[in-house]
Amino acid sequence: MRLMLARFALILSLLLPVWFMVAALGVKFDLWSWRLGLGVLIVQWGPRLLIGAFILAVVALVATLARSPRSGWRAALVALIIPVLGFGYLAYVRSQATAIPPIHDIATSPGDPPTYSAELLALREAAGANPVAELSAPLTGLPAYQGPRFATFADRSLGQVGQDAYPDVKTLTTIRSAAEAFAAAAAEVEAQGWTLVSSDPAAGRLEATAETFWFGFKDDVVIRVRSGEPGGPTAIDMRSTSRVGLGDMGANAARIEAYLASLGKRLAGG
């Protein structure tokens, strides 16, 4: 019986990663909504399953070590380690969430951000996505940011909050012409594997949609290539906006930084 208990605890613990993967991939492949996959299956039920597996593993470990023969204790130990690692990861995510402001719209130039076209805004509206707000708007004046939780942001705009949180998200400048920079920017969008929505060389604007691996969350990006004074540098700005969720866990800022870093190398390399 003790060996069977240890094996059952191990099987249950091994099924935990499967539960989380299925919950995430179900959202990606439109088997259920992100509210069910993330909000219910992971956020609500995930910790409960971890606690249940942890308790069962502790009972199995104690039972197998209580008296001879002590067979099955290794299986019980592995069964215990898996939920412990799960708790550790959840604690890490929670700490990251509290350290990052709950925003999902980031731009390199909050004072003069690139704007989305009517075509892309229509795609967002059809998908029931977050509205795209003005980055100059006071954060707590937006409908999603009401209540005492956001009181600390009362004196700052949405763009200022993003700029303070991600100071390394900056405009990329290059000595290349606007036409060369636009061609490189388009090539980098393709290299990133994003879905191109619109390309307007005359306006210097590219729009695309990026998709996350696990949940298939879609974030929209707009890239603006603009030349300055004759003979001066070309400026490349970017904006990345999540379609769902209040906060993005820093994903949009990381996307902009990675894209512009790779684009900078592409421009430098010719």
Side-chain angles (χ1 to χ4, degrees):
M1 287 296 295
R2 290 182 297 156
L3 181 58
M4 290 178 60
L5 179 62
R7 289 175 176 173
F8 180 73
L10 179 59
I11 292 172
L12 180 61
S13 290
L14 290 173
L15 287 175
L16 288 174
V18 177
W19 172 275
F20 288 101
M21 287 189 290
V22 169
L25 293 177
V27 177
K28 182 181 180 71
F29 294 110
D30 295 322
L31 299 178
W32 43 72
S33 71
W34 69 270
R35 290 180 176 84
L36 174 60
L38 177 61
V40 177
L41 298 182
I42 292 181
V43 174
Q44 290 185 22
W45 281 99
R48 298 174 185 177
L49 293 174
L50 287 172
I51 292 172
F54 175 81
I55 293 174
L56 183 62
V58 169
V59 171
L61 184 61
V62 171
T64 54
L65 292 175
R67 57 188 176 87
S68 299
R70 294 181 175 86
S71 58
W73 69 269
R74 292 180 179 85
L77 180 60
V78 174
L80 180 62
I81 291 173
I82 293 174
V84 167
L85 292 176
F87 283 126
Y89 180 73
L90 289 180
Y92 167 76
V93 171
R94 186 180 295 274
S95 67
Q96 288 292 100
T98 56
I100 295 174
I103 55 177
H104 56 263
D105 192 352
I106 306 296
T108 55
S109 53
D112 181 25
T115 57
Y116 292 107
S117 68
E119 178 185 0
L120 194 141
L121 291 176
L123 288 175
R124 291 179 62 89
E125 184 176 359
N130 293 322
V132 177
E134 294 290 338
L135 294 183
S136 59
L139 186 69
T140 53
L142 300 174
Y145 295 94
Q146 302 302 308
R149 174 187 175 191
F150 308 106
T152 55
F153 303 110
D155 60 342
R156 286 182 288 171
S157 68
L158 177 60
Q160 287 172 330
V161 172
Q163 195 170 43
D164 292 344
Y166 309 106
D168 293 331
V169 175
K170 299 178 180 178
T171 301
L172 174 66
T173 58
T174 177
I175 59 173
R176 299 298 186 92
S177 68
E180 291 174 314
F182 186 88
E188 187 58 35
V189 166
E190 183 178 0
Q192 294 287 334
W194 300 341
T195 301
L196 183 67
V197 175
S198 70
S199 175
D200 189 346
R205 182 171 63 191
L206 284 161
E207 292 177 306
T209 299
E211 183 176 315
T212 63
F213 175 79
W214 282 111
F215 289 92
F217 288 142
K218 291 181 172 61
D219 300 337
D220 296 305
V221 300
V222 55
I223 300 147
R224 181 183 66 201
V225 179
R226 188 163 60 181
S227 58
E229 297 295 328
T234 297
I236 304 169
D237 283 297
M238 183 174 174
R239 184 175 184 176
S240 183
T241 312
S242 301
R243 290 194 182 185
V244 299
L246 186 64
D248 64 1
M249 294 293 293
N252 287 296
R255 178 179 296 111
I256 293 175
E257 290 185 44
Y259 174 85
L260 292 182
S262 186
L263 177 57
K265 293 178 182 178
R266 183 183 292 272
L267 289 166

Tab-separated table of all heavy atoms in Angstrom, residues 48-112:
chain	number	residue	atom	x	y	z
A	48	ARG	N	-4.430	25.080	-6.251
A	48	ARG	CA	-5.130	24.028	-5.507
A	48	ARG	C	-4.578	22.651	-5.850
A	48	ARG	O	-4.392	21.799	-4.963
A	48	ARG	CB	-6.626	24.077	-5.813
A	48	ARG	CG	-7.294	25.383	-5.395
A	48	ARG	CD	-8.745	25.433	-5.846
A	48	ARG	NE	-9.352	26.730	-5.544
A	48	ARG	CZ	-10.578	27.073	-5.881
A	48	ARG	NH1	-11.358	26.197	-6.517
A	48	ARG	NH2	-11.054	28.269	-5.584
A	49	LEU	N	-4.313	22.440	-7.123
A	49	LEU	CA	-3.741	21.149	-7.530
A	49	LEU	C	-2.327	20.985	-6.990
A	49	LEU	O	-1.937	19.881	-6.590
A	49	LEU	CB	-3.735	21.046	-9.053
A	49	LEU	CG	-5.122	20.963	-9.715
A	49	LEU	CD1	-4.989	21.004	-11.229
A	49	LEU	CD2	-5.834	19.693	-9.278
A	50	LEU	N	-1.561	22.054	-6.962
A	50	LEU	CA	-0.208	21.989	-6.406
A	50	LEU	C	-0.265	21.639	-4.919
A	50	LEU	O	0.537	20.815	-4.439
A	50	LEU	CB	0.511	23.326	-6.614
A	50	LEU	CG	0.965	23.653	-8.034
A	50	LEU	CD1	1.481	25.084	-8.114
A	50	LEU	CD2	2.045	22.681	-8.506
A	51	ILE	N	-1.176	22.256	-4.197
A	51	ILE	CA	-1.311	21.971	-2.766
A	51	ILE	C	-1.722	20.517	-2.554
A	51	ILE	O	-1.172	19.816	-1.690
A	51	ILE	CB	-2.341	22.923	-2.126
A	51	ILE	CG1	-1.805	24.349	-2.108
A	51	ILE	CG2	-2.690	22.470	-0.708
A	51	ILE	CD1	-2.819	25.395	-1.676
A	52	GLY	N	-2.700	20.039	-3.336
A	52	GLY	CA	-3.131	18.653	-3.196
A	52	GLY	C	-2.013	17.667	-3.478
A	52	GLY	O	-1.822	16.689	-2.732
A	53	ALA	N	-1.243	17.923	-4.561
A	53	ALA	CA	-0.131	17.033	-4.892
A	53	ALA	C	0.954	17.089	-3.826
A	53	ALA	O	1.570	16.069	-3.485
A	53	ALA	CB	0.446	17.420	-6.255
A	54	PHE	N	1.186	18.273	-3.272
A	54	PHE	CA	2.203	18.440	-2.231
A	54	PHE	C	1.824	17.645	-0.980
A	54	PHE	O	2.663	16.915	-0.418
A	54	PHE	CB	2.347	19.925	-1.893
A	54	PHE	CG	3.278	20.206	-0.760
A	54	PHE	CD1	4.647	20.252	-0.955
A	54	PHE	CD2	2.786	20.432	0.522
A	54	PHE	CE1	5.517	20.514	0.100
A	54	PHE	CE2	3.635	20.688	1.585
A	54	PHE	CZ	5.009	20.733	1.369
A	55	ILE	N	0.579	17.782	-0.543
A	55	ILE	CA	0.136	17.067	0.660
A	55	ILE	C	0.219	15.559	0.460
A	55	ILE	O	0.699	14.818	1.333
A	55	ILE	CB	-1.296	17.490	1.023
A	55	ILE	CG1	-1.318	18.959	1.462
A	55	ILE	CG2	-1.867	16.598	2.126
A	55	ILE	CD1	-2.704	19.505	1.692
A	56	LEU	N	-0.236	15.087	-0.695
A	56	LEU	CA	-0.190	13.648	-0.968
A	56	LEU	C	1.243	13.140	-0.999
A	56	LEU	O	1.547	12.056	-0.476
A	56	LEU	CB	-0.890	13.353	-2.292
A	56	LEU	CG	-0.984	11.870	-2.680
A	56	LEU	CD1	-1.790	11.105	-1.641
A	56	LEU	CD2	-1.622	11.720	-4.064
A	57	ALA	N	2.143	13.941	-1.583
A	57	ALA	CA	3.544	13.530	-1.651
A	57	ALA	C	4.178	13.482	-0.262
A	57	ALA	O	4.970	12.576	0.040
A	57	ALA	CB	4.319	14.489	-2.558
A	58	VAL	N	3.834	14.439	0.591
A	58	VAL	CA	4.367	14.438	1.961
A	58	VAL	C	3.884	13.202	2.707
A	58	VAL	O	4.670	12.519	3.390
A	58	VAL	CB	3.940	15.719	2.707
A	58	VAL	CG1	4.251	15.594	4.199
A	58	VAL	CG2	4.649	16.933	2.131
A	59	VAL	N	2.602	12.897	2.573
A	59	VAL	CA	2.047	11.708	3.234
A	59	VAL	C	2.736	10.449	2.726
A	59	VAL	O	3.113	9.557	3.508
A	59	VAL	CB	0.523	11.623	2.996
A	59	VAL	CG1	-0.024	10.290	3.493
A	59	VAL	CG2	-0.185	12.780	3.689
A	60	ALA	N	2.926	10.383	1.406
A	60	ALA	CA	3.581	9.207	0.827
A	60	ALA	C	5.031	9.085	1.287
A	60	ALA	O	5.500	7.981	1.602
A	60	ALA	CB	3.523	9.283	-0.698
A	61	LEU	N	5.732	10.211	1.377
A	61	LEU	CA	7.135	10.175	1.804
A	61	LEU	C	7.246	9.741	3.258
A	61	LEU	O	8.102	8.905	3.607
A	61	LEU	CB	7.771	11.547	1.599
A	61	LEU	CG	9.266	11.651	1.915
A	61	LEU	CD1	10.066	10.714	1.010
A	61	LEU	CD2	9.747	13.085	1.751
A	62	VAL	N	6.398	10.284	4.103
A	62	VAL	CA	6.420	9.902	5.518
A	62	VAL	C	6.069	8.423	5.674
A	62	VAL	O	6.710	7.686	6.441
A	62	VAL	CB	5.440	10.774	6.333
A	62	VAL	CG1	5.293	10.236	7.753
A	62	VAL	CG2	5.915	12.220	6.356
A	63	ALA	N	5.081	7.964	4.917
A	63	ALA	CA	4.646	6.568	5.025
A	63	ALA	C	5.737	5.606	4.575
A	63	ALA	O	5.940	4.547	5.197
A	63	ALA	CB	3.384	6.353	4.188
A	64	THR	N	6.454	5.962	3.516
A	64	THR	CA	7.489	5.056	3.005
A	64	THR	C	8.739	5.056	3.878
A	64	THR	O	9.512	4.090	3.861
A	64	THR	CB	7.871	5.440	1.564
A	64	THR	OG1	8.235	6.834	1.510
A	64	THR	CG2	6.727	5.182	0.609
A	65	LEU	N	8.954	6.124	4.641
A	65	LEU	CA	10.146	6.200	5.488
A	65	LEU	C	9.859	5.780	6.933
A	65	LEU	O	10.784	5.650	7.740
A	65	LEU	CB	10.716	7.629	5.484
A	65	LEU	CG	11.327	8.115	4.163
A	65	LEU	CD1	11.739	9.580	4.289
A	65	LEU	CD2	12.527	7.260	3.763
A	66	ALA	N	8.595	5.591	7.251
A	66	ALA	CA	8.216	5.327	8.645
A	66	ALA	C	8.789	4.016	9.161
A	66	ALA	O	9.232	3.930	10.308
A	66	ALA	CB	6.687	5.343	8.782
A	67	ARG	N	8.769	2.989	8.316
A	67	ARG	CA	9.285	1.702	8.778
A	67	ARG	C	9.747	0.874	7.579
A	67	ARG	O	9.387	1.153	6.440
A	67	ARG	CB	8.217	0.936	9.559
A	67	ARG	CG	6.920	0.682	8.818
A	67	ARG	CD	5.858	0.095	9.745
A	67	ARG	NE	4.577	-0.072	9.072
A	67	ARG	CZ	4.227	-1.145	8.381
A	67	ARG	NH1	5.093	-2.159	8.256
A	67	ARG	NH2	3.033	-1.223	7.805
A	68	SER	N	10.544	-0.121	7.887
A	68	SER	CA	11.081	-0.994	6.835
A	68	SER	C	9.991	-1.935	6.328
A	68	SER	O	9.071	-2.307	7.086
A	68	SER	CB	12.253	-1.804	7.392
A	68	SER	OG	13.287	-0.942	7.814
A	69	PRO	N	10.107	-2.365	5.064
A	69	PRO	CA	11.094	-1.926	4.073
A	69	PRO	C	10.728	-0.551	3.515
A	69	PRO	O	9.553	-0.284	3.274
A	69	PRO	CB	10.993	-2.997	2.987
A	69	PRO	CG	9.571	-3.481	3.070
A	69	PRO	CD	9.197	-3.397	4.515
A	70	ARG	N	11.726	0.295	3.324
A	70	ARG	CA	11.482	1.677	2.915
A	70	ARG	C	11.481	1.820	1.394
A	70	ARG	O	12.153	2.672	0.826
A	70	ARG	CB	12.519	2.595	3.549
A	70	ARG	CG	12.403	2.668	5.070
A	70	ARG	CD	13.412	3.605	5.678
A	70	ARG	NE	13.194	3.749	7.107
A	70	ARG	CZ	13.681	2.933	8.031
A	70	ARG	NH1	14.416	1.891	7.655
A	70	ARG	NH2	13.434	3.129	9.312
A	71	SER	N	10.720	0.998	0.746
A	71	SER	CA	10.619	1.062	-0.710
A	71	SER	C	9.607	2.136	-1.118
A	71	SER	O	8.606	2.340	-0.439
A	71	SER	CB	10.174	-0.296	-1.271
A	71	SER	OG	8.933	-0.682	-0.717
A	72	GLY	N	9.923	2.827	-2.210
A	72	GLY	CA	9.017	3.840	-2.740
A	72	GLY	C	9.324	5.255	-2.301
A	72	GLY	O	8.689	6.193	-2.794
A	73	TRP	N	10.298	5.436	-1.407
A	73	TRP	CA	10.550	6.781	-0.913
A	73	TRP	C	11.118	7.691	-2.000
A	73	TRP	O	10.874	8.905	-1.998
A	73	TRP	CB	11.474	6.752	0.311
A	73	TRP	CG	12.895	6.343	0.019
A	73	TRP	CD1	13.406	5.091	0.063
A	73	TRP	CD2	13.970	7.211	-0.361
A	73	TRP	NE1	14.747	5.105	-0.267
A	73	TRP	CE2	15.115	6.407	-0.526
A	73	TRP	CE3	14.082	8.587	-0.575
A	73	TRP	CZ2	16.347	6.924	-0.903
A	73	TRP	CZ3	15.310	9.110	-0.948
A	73	TRP	CH2	16.427	8.292	-1.105
A	74	ARG	N	11.871	7.114	-2.935
A	74	ARG	CA	12.422	7.940	-4.022
A	74	ARG	C	11.302	8.502	-4.903
A	74	ARG	O	11.332	9.677	-5.294
A	74	ARG	CB	13.403	7.117	-4.857
A	74	ARG	CG	14.684	6.740	-4.117
A	74	ARG	CD	15.604	5.918	-5.003
A	74	ARG	NE	16.845	5.556	-4.321
A	74	ARG	CZ	16.977	4.507	-3.532
A	74	ARG	NH1	15.919	3.697	-3.324
A	74	ARG	NH2	18.135	4.247	-2.949
A	75	ALA	N	10.330	7.655	-5.218
A	75	ALA	CA	9.184	8.121	-6.012
A	75	ALA	C	8.416	9.207	-5.264
A	75	ALA	O	7.994	10.212	-5.857
A	75	ALA	CB	8.262	6.949	-6.331
A	76	ALA	N	8.259	9.026	-3.949
A	76	ALA	CA	7.553	10.021	-3.150
A	76	ALA	C	8.330	11.334	-3.096
A	76	ALA	O	7.742	12.425	-3.123
A	76	ALA	CB	7.319	9.490	-1.739
A	77	LEU	N	9.675	11.220	-3.046
A	77	LEU	CA	10.505	12.430	-3.005
A	77	LEU	C	10.383	13.217	-4.304
A	77	LEU	O	10.245	14.450	-4.292
A	77	LEU	CB	11.954	12.057	-2.735
A	77	LEU	CG	12.949	13.224	-2.660
A	77	LEU	CD1	12.558	14.177	-1.526
A	77	LEU	CD2	14.369	12.710	-2.470
A	78	VAL	N	10.443	12.513	-5.429
A	78	VAL	CA	10.275	13.186	-6.724
A	78	VAL	C	8.892	13.811	-6.815
A	78	VAL	O	8.720	14.941	-7.303
A	78	VAL	CB	10.508	12.205	-7.885
A	78	VAL	CG1	10.183	12.872	-9.227
A	78	VAL	CG2	11.942	11.693	-7.882
A	79	ALA	N	7.902	13.097	-6.316
A	79	ALA	CA	6.538	13.623	-6.315
A	79	ALA	C	6.435	14.893	-5.484
A	79	ALA	O	5.614	15.776	-5.781
A	79	ALA	CB	5.575	12.572	-5.772
A	80	LEU	N	7.256	14.999	-4.447
A	80	LEU	CA	7.254	16.188	-3.601
A	80	LEU	C	7.987	17.347	-4.267
A	80	LEU	O	7.566	18.508	-4.174
A	80	LEU	CB	7.906	15.860	-2.256
A	80	LEU	CG	7.994	16.998	-1.235
A	80	LEU	CD1	6.604	17.470	-0.844
A	80	LEU	CD2	8.780	16.541	-0.006
A	81	ILE	N	9.073	17.050	-4.964
A	81	ILE	CA	9.888	18.098	-5.584
A	81	ILE	C	9.107	18.853	-6.661
A	81	ILE	O	9.222	20.072	-6.793
A	81	ILE	CB	11.179	17.492	-6.174
A	81	ILE	CG1	12.101	17.032	-5.038
A	81	ILE	CG2	11.894	18.489	-7.067
A	81	ILE	CD1	13.322	16.271	-5.517
A	82	ILE	N	8.295	18.146	-7.430
A	82	ILE	CA	7.586	18.775	-8.560
A	82	ILE	C	6.659	19.896	-8.095
A	82	ILE	O	6.750	21.023	-8.598
A	82	ILE	CB	6.837	17.710	-9.373
A	82	ILE	CG1	7.843	16.790	-10.068
A	82	ILE	CG2	5.919	18.365	-10.403
A	82	ILE	CD1	7.214	15.611	-10.781
A	83	PRO	N	5.749	19.679	-7.141
A	83	PRO	CA	4.915	20.814	-6.696
A	83	PRO	C	5.708	21.905	-5.994
A	83	PRO	O	5.330	23.082	-6.057
A	83	PRO	CB	3.890	20.166	-5.766
A	83	PRO	CG	4.473	18.863	-5.353
A	83	PRO	CD	5.306	18.419	-6.500
A	84	VAL	N	6.800	21.533	-5.320
A	84	VAL	CA	7.637	22.558	-4.687
A	84	VAL	C	8.210	23.486	-5.749
A	84	VAL	O	8.225	24.719	-5.593
A	84	VAL	CB	8.760	21.909	-3.854
A	84	VAL	CG1	9.798	22.946	-3.460
A	84	VAL	CG2	8.185	21.263	-2.605
A	85	LEU	N	8.689	22.908	-6.856
A	85	LEU	CA	9.185	23.729	-7.960
A	85	LEU	C	8.057	24.582	-8.542
A	85	LEU	O	8.272	25.736	-8.925
A	85	LEU	CB	9.785	22.840	-9.048
A	85	LEU	CG	11.087	22.110	-8.680
A	85	LEU	CD1	11.513	21.185	-9.809
A	85	LEU	CD2	12.186	23.121	-8.372
A	86	GLY	N	6.864	24.000	-8.611
A	86	GLY	CA	5.722	24.760	-9.100
A	86	GLY	C	5.412	25.954	-8.223
A	86	GLY	O	5.157	27.064	-8.713
A	87	PHE	N	5.453	25.754	-6.894
A	87	PHE	CA	5.239	26.861	-5.969
A	87	PHE	C	6.319	27.929	-6.136
A	87	PHE	O	6.040	29.128	-6.071
A	87	PHE	CB	5.230	26.361	-4.526
A	87	PHE	CG	3.952	25.687	-4.122
A	87	PHE	CD1	3.958	24.412	-3.585
A	87	PHE	CD2	2.736	26.338	-4.270
A	87	PHE	CE1	2.780	23.790	-3.209
A	87	PHE	CE2	1.551	25.723	-3.893
A	87	PHE	CZ	1.570	24.443	-3.368
A	88	GLY	N	7.550	27.484	-6.341
A	88	GLY	CA	8.648	28.424	-6.528
A	88	GLY	C	8.441	29.291	-7.758
A	88	GLY	O	8.677	30.503	-7.733
A	89	TYR	N	7.980	28.662	-8.833
A	89	TYR	CA	7.746	29.425	-10.063
A	89	TYR	C	6.588	30.403	-9.887
A	89	TYR	O	6.663	31.555	-10.337
A	89	TYR	CB	7.457	28.480	-11.230
A	89	TYR	CG	7.210	29.206	-12.530
A	89	TYR	CD1	8.263	29.811	-13.209
A	89	TYR	CD2	5.929	29.304	-13.066
A	89	TYR	CE1	8.038	30.507	-14.379
A	89	TYR	CE2	5.704	29.991	-14.246
A	89	TYR	CZ	6.767	30.579	-14.901
A	89	TYR	OH	6.538	31.266	-16.067
A	90	LEU	N	5.517	29.961	-9.227
A	90	LEU	CA	4.393	30.856	-8.985
A	90	LEU	C	4.808	32.045	-8.116
A	90	LEU	O	4.364	33.177	-8.344
A	90	LEU	CB	3.249	30.104	-8.314
A	90	LEU	CG	2.490	29.092	-9.171
A	90	LEU	CD1	1.378	28.438	-8.353
A	90	LEU	CD2	1.909	29.747	-10.421
A	91	ALA	N	5.675	31.806	-7.139
A	91	ALA	CA	6.157	32.891	-6.294
A	91	ALA	C	6.991	33.879	-7.102
A	91	ALA	O	6.900	35.100	-6.905
A	91	ALA	CB	6.985	32.329	-5.143
A	92	TYR	N	7.792	33.343	-8.027
A	92	TYR	CA	8.592	34.215	-8.894
A	92	TYR	C	7.693	35.078	-9.770
A	92	TYR	O	7.909	36.289	-9.897
A	92	TYR	CB	9.519	33.366	-9.763
A	92	TYR	CG	10.148	34.131	-10.907
A	92	TYR	CD1	11.199	35.012	-10.685
A	92	TYR	CD2	9.673	33.970	-12.211
A	92	TYR	CE1	11.766	35.723	-11.731
A	92	TYR	CE2	10.230	34.665	-13.265
A	92	TYR	CZ	11.275	35.543	-13.022
A	92	TYR	OH	11.825	36.244	-14.060
A	93	VAL	N	6.681	34.473	-10.374
A	93	VAL	CA	5.756	35.220	-11.234
A	93	VAL	C	5.030	36.297	-10.433
A	93	VAL	O	4.859	37.425	-10.888
A	93	VAL	CB	4.746	34.262	-11.899
A	93	VAL	CG1	3.647	35.048	-12.616
A	93	VAL	CG2	5.455	33.337	-12.878
A	94	ARG	N	4.606	35.928	-9.233
A	94	ARG	CA	3.901	36.896	-8.386
A	94	ARG	C	4.806	38.079	-8.041
A	94	ARG	O	4.368	39.234	-8.052
A	94	ARG	CB	3.408	36.218	-7.112
A	94	ARG	CG	2.534	37.107	-6.234
A	94	ARG	CD	2.092	36.351	-4.989
A	94	ARG	NE	1.242	35.233	-5.332
A	94	ARG	CZ	-0.074	35.331	-5.501
A	94	ARG	NH1	-0.668	36.506	-5.354
A	94	ARG	NH2	-0.790	34.266	-5.792
A	95	SER	N	6.070	37.802	-7.721
A	95	SER	CA	6.997	38.885	-7.383
A	95	SER	C	7.248	39.780	-8.588
A	95	SER	O	7.361	41.005	-8.459
A	95	SER	CB	8.318	38.314	-6.860
A	95	SER	OG	9.025	37.621	-7.884
A	96	GLN	N	7.339	39.173	-9.776
A	96	GLN	CA	7.514	39.960	-10.987
A	96	GLN	C	6.295	40.828	-11.248
A	96	GLN	O	6.419	41.989	-11.660
A	96	GLN	CB	7.745	39.028	-12.190
A	96	GLN	CG	9.101	38.343	-12.199
A	96	GLN	CD	10.233	39.319	-12.425
A	96	GLN	OE1	10.907	39.726	-11.483
A	96	GLN	NE2	10.437	39.700	-13.667
A	97	ALA	N	5.122	40.277	-11.027
A	97	ALA	CA	3.886	41.011	-11.282
A	97	ALA	C	3.767	42.231	-10.367
A	97	ALA	O	3.265	43.279	-10.780
A	97	ALA	CB	2.687	40.100	-11.096
A	98	THR	N	4.224	42.091	-9.125
A	98	THR	CA	4.137	43.222	-8.197
A	98	THR	C	5.202	44.272	-8.475
A	98	THR	O	5.029	45.438	-8.127
A	98	THR	CB	4.279	42.738	-6.746
A	98	THR	OG1	5.512	42.014	-6.594
A	98	THR	CG2	3.125	41.819	-6.368
A	99	ALA	N	6.303	43.866	-9.121
A	99	ALA	CA	7.389	44.793	-9.400
A	99	ALA	C	7.196	45.556	-10.706
A	99	ALA	O	7.864	46.560	-10.948
A	99	ALA	CB	8.721	44.034	-9.448
A	100	ILE	N	6.283	45.094	-11.561
A	100	ILE	CA	6.064	45.693	-12.871
A	100	ILE	C	4.709	46.388	-12.872
A	100	ILE	O	3.717	45.819	-12.419
A	100	ILE	CB	6.106	44.604	-13.967
A	100	ILE	CG1	7.513	44.004	-14.039
A	100	ILE	CG2	5.706	45.154	-15.316
A	100	ILE	CD1	7.615	42.831	-14.983
A	101	PRO	N	4.635	47.623	-13.381
A	101	PRO	CA	3.340	48.315	-13.392
A	101	PRO	C	2.329	47.594	-14.275
A	101	PRO	O	2.693	46.986	-15.282
A	101	PRO	CB	3.686	49.699	-13.956
A	101	PRO	CG	4.965	49.510	-14.701
A	101	PRO	CD	5.712	48.446	-13.957
A	102	PRO	N	1.047	47.649	-13.930
A	102	PRO	CA	0.007	46.906	-14.661
A	102	PRO	C	-0.396	47.611	-15.950
A	102	PRO	O	-1.543	48.056	-16.106
A	102	PRO	CB	-1.138	46.849	-13.652
A	102	PRO	CG	-0.999	48.121	-12.871
A	102	PRO	CD	0.477	48.372	-12.774
A	103	ILE	N	0.525	47.716	-16.882
A	103	ILE	CA	0.231	48.366	-18.160
A	103	ILE	C	0.542	47.396	-19.292
A	103	ILE	O	1.300	46.440	-19.124
A	103	ILE	CB	1.026	49.668	-18.338
A	103	ILE	CG1	2.533	49.411	-18.159
A	103	ILE	CG2	0.555	50.727	-17.346
A	103	ILE	CD1	3.394	50.626	-18.395
A	104	HIS	N	-0.036	47.654	-20.462
A	104	HIS	CA	0.129	46.730	-21.579
A	104	HIS	C	0.340	47.461	-22.907
A	104	HIS	O	0.107	46.904	-23.969
A	104	HIS	CB	-1.105	45.826	-21.694
A	104	HIS	CG	-2.375	46.605	-21.837
A	104	HIS	ND1	-3.194	46.874	-20.758
A	104	HIS	CD2	-2.959	47.193	-22.902
A	104	HIS	CE1	-4.228	47.582	-21.164
A	104	HIS	NE2	-4.112	47.789	-22.475
A	105	ASP	N	0.771	48.719	-22.834
A	105	ASP	CA	0.959	49.540	-24.033
A	105	ASP	C	2.247	50.329	-23.855
A	105	ASP	O	2.310	51.246	-23.033
A	105	ASP	CB	-0.245	50.470	-24.202
A	105	ASP	CG	-0.269	51.155	-25.568
A	105	ASP	OD1	0.710	51.026	-26.321
A	105	ASP	OD2	-1.285	51.813	-25.881
A	106	ILE	N	3.275	49.982	-24.633
A	106	ILE	CA	4.598	50.566	-24.462
A	106	ILE	C	5.068	51.160	-25.789
A	106	ILE	O	4.860	50.569	-26.855
A	106	ILE	CB	5.622	49.512	-23.992
A	106	ILE	CG1	5.124	48.798	-22.732
A	106	ILE	CG2	6.987	50.154	-23.732
A	106	ILE	CD1	4.988	49.692	-21.533
A	107	ALA	N	5.712	52.314	-25.725
A	107	ALA	CA	6.243	52.958	-26.930
A	107	ALA	C	7.606	53.556	-26.637
A	107	ALA	O	7.922	53.907	-25.498
A	107	ALA	CB	5.288	54.035	-27.429
A	108	THR	N	8.413	53.689	-27.692
A	108	THR	CA	9.742	54.275	-27.531
A	108	THR	C	9.666	55.775	-27.305
A	108	THR	O	10.568	56.363	-26.725
A	108	THR	CB	10.594	54.002	-28.777
A	108	THR	OG1	9.892	54.483	-29.939
A	108	THR	CG2	10.883	52.526	-28.941
A	109	SER	N	8.628	56.414	-27.801
A	109	SER	CA	8.505	57.871	-27.689
A	109	SER	C	7.105	58.217	-27.195
A	109	SER	O	6.241	58.572	-27.996
A	109	SER	CB	8.765	58.522	-29.051
A	109	SER	OG	7.938	57.930	-30.046
A	110	PRO	N	6.862	58.104	-25.891
A	110	PRO	CA	5.514	58.327	-25.359
A	110	PRO	C	4.945	59.700	-25.691
A	110	PRO	O	3.729	59.862	-25.817
A	110	PRO	CB	5.701	58.163	-23.849
A	110	PRO	CG	6.932	57.337	-23.704
A	110	PRO	CD	7.819	57.718	-24.834
A	111	GLY	N	5.821	60.701	-25.857
A	111	GLY	CA	5.342	62.034	-26.190
A	111	GLY	C	4.898	62.171	-27.630
A	111	GLY	O	4.115	63.068	-27.968
A	112	ASP	N	5.402	61.319	-28.493
A	112	ASP	CA	5.057	61.336	-29.914
A	112	ASP	C	5.074	59.900	-30.437
A	112	ASP	O	5.915	59.529	-31.261
A	112	ASP	CB	6.061	62.207	-30.682
A	112	ASP	CG	5.740	62.295	-32.164
A	112	ASP	OD1	4.567	62.114	-32.539
A	112	ASP	OD2	6.687	62.519	-32.961
